[in-house]
Amino acid sequence: MTFIWATRGLIWGFRFLRDGGCEEPLRAYDDSFSELWDESEVCRRLSGKVALRFPDPLGRRDRAGRIIPHDFVVFEPLAHEVESVEDGIRLVWPLVADEFVRVWQLSMPPSPSE
């Protein structure tokens, strides 16, 4: 279990692209981001994990013109290294950047297991 990743694509809406091995990723996500729904950038340390949100580093927007957000719940041991949004972009974004290039323009979102 490394991280949960949720984002939007050009056409498809908000989805979990990685479930971090959680049986209930939505619950872990909701617990981590509670009270932070309106924040465009977040790095909040919780017990054993980090809630991390940042706008798409390449400025991609969906077809409605909204900046694509990337939300992560980062688990240990990677969570120990994430102390800021900048750390998240430096350490976590490279783990999904190529994957996002492949999927963000798809007409349908991939499942977390794809």
Side-chain angles (χ1 to χ4, degrees), residues 2-5 28-29 32-33 49-52 71-75:
T2 304
F3 56 84
I4 293 169
W5 175 32
Y29 177 84
S32 300
F33 282 94
K49 59 189 174 185
V50 171
L52 176 68
D71 291 2
F72 299 87
V73 179
V74 183
F75 300 101

Side-chain angles (χ1 to χ4, degrees), residues 2-3 18 78 91-99:
T2 304
F3 56 84
R18 299 265 183 103
L78 182 57
L91 297 169
V92 179
W93 177 247
L95 301 174
V96 299
D98 289 345
E99 180 178 342

Side-chain angles (χ1 to χ4, degrees), residues 68-86:
I68 303 288
H70 296 281
D71 291 2
F72 299 87
V73 179
V74 183
F75 300 101
E76 295 178 351
L78 182 57
H80 289 298
E81 301 177 54
V82 179
E83 299 288 339
S84 67
V85 169
E86 292 75 20

Side-chain angles (χ1 to χ4, degrees), residues 19 25 31 33 40 42 50 58 75 83 85 87 90 99 113:
D19 63 14
D31 289 347
F33 282 94
S40 62
V42 170
V50 171
L58 298 180
F75 300 101
E83 299 288 339
V85 169
D87 288 343
R90 181 175 53 84
E99 180 178 342
S113 61

Side-chain angles (χ1 to χ4, degrees), residues 12-62:
W12 42 271
F14 195 77
R15 295 287 193 281
F16 288 107
L17 297 186
R18 299 265 183 103
D19 63 14
C22 293
E23 290 185 25
E24 297 183 55
L26 180 58
R27 184 175 185 166
Y29 177 84
D30 283 345
D31 289 347
S32 300
F33 282 94
S34 65
E35 302 174 14
L36 300 172
W37 304 116
D38 294 331
E39 303 293 329
S40 62
E41 295 189 7
V42 170
C43 183
R44 178 169 78 172
R45 181 165 300 283
L46 304 159
S47 127
K49 59 189 174 185
V50 171
L52 176 68
R53 174 182 295 140
F54 53 83
D56 186 84
L58 298 180
R60 285 176 276 225
R61 296 174 181 266
D62 67 12

